[in-house]
């Protein structure tokens, strides 16, 4: 993603227990589009067990807001996988 000098870029790499869990997180999070697509651009990718997100925003304030919201979503996904992930996988293989 290319950005002009007026934009602010943040890249985060979040490790998961497996590539499958990182892919699940990506699929769940990317369903929600950015509320201000003209001011916030987001790209999610998975490399092995790492979820990588790059945000490009017009302001530092927007960077802070989108990172906070994103980390809340990641936290929810991690807790959900921890609570239901293994049980759901065992149940679906019956």
């Amino acid at each position: 993603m290319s950005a002009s000098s007026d934009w602010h870029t943040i890249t985060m790499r979040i490790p998961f227990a497996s590539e499958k869990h990182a892919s699940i997180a990506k699929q769940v999070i990317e369903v929600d589009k950015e509320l201000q697509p003209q001011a916030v651009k987001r790209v999610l990718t998975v490399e092995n067990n790492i979820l990588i997100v790059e945000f490009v925003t017009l302001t530092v304030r927007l960077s802070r807001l989108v990172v906070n919201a994103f980390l809340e979503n990641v936290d929810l996904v991690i807790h959900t996988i921890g609570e239901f992930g293994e049980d759901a996988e065992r149940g679906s293989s019956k």
Side-chain angles (χ1 to χ4, degrees):
M1 179 181 301
S2 62
S4 71
S5 60
D6 294 337
W7 290 71
H8 305 276
T9 303
I10 295 174
T11 303
M12 294 187 297
R13 301 173 59 84
I14 301 162
F16 281 81
S18 68
E19 183 171 358
K20 181 177 182 178
H21 288 174
S23 293
I24 289 169
K26 177 184 179 285
Q27 290 171 358
V28 168
I29 292 169
E30 71 186 353
V31 169
D32 293 326
K33 303 301 178 201
E34 291 299 328
L35 296 176
Q36 297 181 42
Q38 72 285 359
V40 177
K41 297 174 185 8
R42 177 186 67 190
V43 175
L44 292 166
T45 56
V46 172
E47 288 180 11
N48 299 314
N49 67 319
I50 308 292
L51 175 63
I52 302 167
V53 61
E54 180 178 86
F55 290 104
V56 181
T57 64
L58 276 176
T59 67
V60 173
R61 180 178 183 275
L62 272 174
S63 293
R64 180 180 54 81
L65 293 172
V66 297
V67 166
N68 284 341
F70 176 78
L71 290 175
E72 287 177 8
N73 286 338
V74 168
D75 185 54
L76 179 60
V77 169
I78 289 170
H79 281 91
T80 302
I81 290 172
E83 188 70 27
F84 301 106
E86 292 177 16
D87 291 340
E89 288 177 21
R90 276 193 296 253
S92 66
S93 64
K94 289 182 180 177

